[in-house]
């Protein structure tokens, strides 16, 4: 095993080579405050690969990783995956009480019994399953519609958790009691999303910094991309939000996290107020 002292051996010179590559491939921005975190994660990869010298690791990822497999393995370690069900409740209320009924009537007016929701940067899937529960609660007829909630993330370990649909206490702590009972089945200390709800969610491996992959994402009624773009800088944030604009149908909504603003990177969306909450719509 390579000693954990490898953390100290990743020089500034090697980091200066690695950080732009991470930015270019993943859109993730590592500033001074996050350097120690990055060093520990690179050291972990080096230990797994039994590489002792950071220069060899950086050389390998630069010149000997044509399929991006090592960059993907590193991505699995350097993303922040904090999430839980019913996070940012007031935003979900705006979605449930206003956006969703409006989107469903618009679809119905066109004779389309279809709904497409995208949880972009879904981590282990709690957000996507929250949206699935809300769709079923607000719209019990969803069973006879073609409803899909795409749950995408770059982190393969997280996507395995989405597919398992099994969660610990921490993930479900904010689930309202009536929802917990209806949509989750208790299994010892854990909760499993009930089959009818789980069936609405489709995991997808997708790098939000991959413009070509994003072009294939089309026809969405609503996109949730919460607490993801905080790890991007303004340039890559703008590229992602522009792609979201193209992925949405006219009348579609985008929800970002509380600390994130669409207005900072584009004027393409229109701001709408529902109760106390502001949402962005593509008109
Ligand atoms: C903090 S979690 C947010 C989870 C959920 N949206 C929420 O608000 O609770 C951020 C997620 O963004 C994902 N992510 C970061 N960079 C990404 C990229 N370039 N492409 C796709 N997903 C990315 C991470 O893997 C992580 O799971």
């Amino acid at each position: 095993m390579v000693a954990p002292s490898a953390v100290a051996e990743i020089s500034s010179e090697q980091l200066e080579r690695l950080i732009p590559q991470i930015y270019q491939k993943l859109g993730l921005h590592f500033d001074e405050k996050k350097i120690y975190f990055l060093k520990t994660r690179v050291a972990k990869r080096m230990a797994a690969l039994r590489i002792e010298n950071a220069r060899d690791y950086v050389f390998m990822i630069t010149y000997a990783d044509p399929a991006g497999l090592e960059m993907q393995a590193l991505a699995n370690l350097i993303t922040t995956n904090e999430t839980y069900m019913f996070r940012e409740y007031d935003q979900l209320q705006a979605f449930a009480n206003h956006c969703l009924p409006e989107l469903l009537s618009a679809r119905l007016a066109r004779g389309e019994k279809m709904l497409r929701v995208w949880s972009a940067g879904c981590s282990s899937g709690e957000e996507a399953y929250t949206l699935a529960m809300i769709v079923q609660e607000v719209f019990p007829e969803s069973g006879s519609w073609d409803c899909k909630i795409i749950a995408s993330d770059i982190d393969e370990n997280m996507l395995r958790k989405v597919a398992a649909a099994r969660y610990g206490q921490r993930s479900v702590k904010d689930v309202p009691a009536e929802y917990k009972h209806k949509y989750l089945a208790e299994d010892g200390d854990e909760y499993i999303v009930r089959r009818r709800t789980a069936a609405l969610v489709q995991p997808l491996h997708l790098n939000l910094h991959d413009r070509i992959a994003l072009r294939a994402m089309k026809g969405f009624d609503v996109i949730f991309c919460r607490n993801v773009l905080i790890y991007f800088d303004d340039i890559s944030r703008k590229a992602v939000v522009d792609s979201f604009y193209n992925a949405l149908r006219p009348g579609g909504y985008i929800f970002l996290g509380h600390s994130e603003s669409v207005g900072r990177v584009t004027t393409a969306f229109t701001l709408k107020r529902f109760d106390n909450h502001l949402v962005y719509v593509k008109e």
Side-chain angles (χ1 to χ4, degrees):
M1 277 290 278
V2 175
S5 63
V7 176
E9 287 165 17
I10 303 166
S11 65
S12 312
E13 189 191 340
Q14 297 310 326
L15 281 175
E16 274 168 30
R17 290 194 180 148
L18 183 60
I19 288 172
Q21 294 190 63
I22 294 174
Y23 176 71
Q24 196 199 347
K25 305 261 170 54
L26 312 175
L28 298 176
H29 178 64
F30 282 89
D31 60 17
E32 273 300 308
K33 284 179 271 166
K34 297 187 205 148
I35 292 295
Y36 181 75
F37 169 78
L38 180 62
K39 280 186 172 182
T40 58
R41 299 309 164 107
V42 172
K44 206 168 169 186
R45 271 313 292 158
M46 286 169 56
L49 297 166
R50 298 181 178 274
I51 293 177
E52 290 191 28
N53 190 327
R55 193 190 307 158
D56 294 340
Y57 180 77
V58 175
F59 184 89
M60 190 263 276
I61 209 165
T62 311
Y63 300 109
D65 186 34
L69 298 180
E70 181 47 35
M71 185 55 85
Q72 175 63 57
L74 187 59
N76 293 349
L77 285 178
I78 61 177
T79 49
T80 304
N81 305 117
E82 160 71 8
T83 188
Y84 48 90
M85 289 179 180
F86 286 85
R87 186 177 194 180
E88 295 172 22
Y89 195 80
D90 54 341
Q91 225 183 17
L92 296 172
Q93 275 187 316
F95 170 64
N97 298 337
H98 302 283
C99 305
L100 192 54
E102 185 189 302
L103 290 166
L104 292 167
S105 338
R107 282 286 202 177
L108 209 51
R110 297 168 67 100
E112 300 164 349
K113 291 188 162 187
M114 181 192 249
L115 183 74
R116 289 286 178 274
V117 179
W118 179 10
S119 167
C122 64
S123 185
S124 33
E126 286 87 331
E127 178 178 81
Y129 289 117
T130 299
L131 299 174
M133 291 185 228
I134 292 174
V135 166
Q136 290 186 316
E137 190 66 23
V138 169
F139 185 54
E141 300 88 337
S142 58
S144 63
W145 278 40
D146 173 10
C147 283
K148 274 199 189 93
I149 296 165
I150 304 298
S152 76
D153 205 279
I154 195 167
D155 189 330
E156 296 163 318
N157 298 327
M158 292 303 116
L159 291 171
R160 279 189 271 280
K161 295 190 178 193
V162 180
R166 174 181 277 276
Y167 296 99
Q169 298 287 345
R170 217 193 148 272
S171 292
V172 305
K173 67 182 171 37
D174 287 352
V175 179
E178 65 276 22
Y179 276 77
K180 209 185 252 179
H181 185 68
K182 215 163 156 182
Y183 299 104
L184 304 173
E186 250 183 286
D187 183 28
D189 269 357
E190 294 183 318
Y191 289 84
I192 304 169
V193 181
R194 290 191 195 274
R195 202 177 303 157
R196 210 164 57 87
T197 308
L200 289 180
V201 174
Q202 281 188 5
L204 174 72
H205 182 247
L206 186 105
N207 177 0
L208 290 172
H209 200 58
D210 180 344
R211 285 196 144 197
I212 295 167
L214 281 179
R215 261 186 238 146
M217 304 299 283
K218 290 232 166 297
F220 285 93
D221 296 283
V222 53
I223 300 174
F224 278 75
C225 185
R226 304 187 302 167
N227 309 301
V228 177
L229 299 180
I230 35 170
Y231 305 106
F232 287 39
D233 71 349
D234 269 353
I235 297 170
S236 40
R237 207 173 280 150
K238 177 169 170 40
V240 177
V241 172
D242 286 347
S243 301
F244 285 161
Y245 187 85
N246 294 328
L248 279 173
R249 292 158 48 85
Y253 288 94
I254 180 167
F255 286 84
L256 301 188
H258 273 318
S259 55
E260 303 157 303
S261 151
V262 172
R264 235 180 91 174
V265 289
T266 178
T267 52
F269 291 91
T270 305
L271 203 53
K272 251 185 173 178
R273 179 181 283 275
F274 289 131
D275 302 329
N276 269 337
H277 201 77
L278 295 172
V279 294
Y280 291 93
V281 64
K282 169 177 175 173
E283 283 193 328

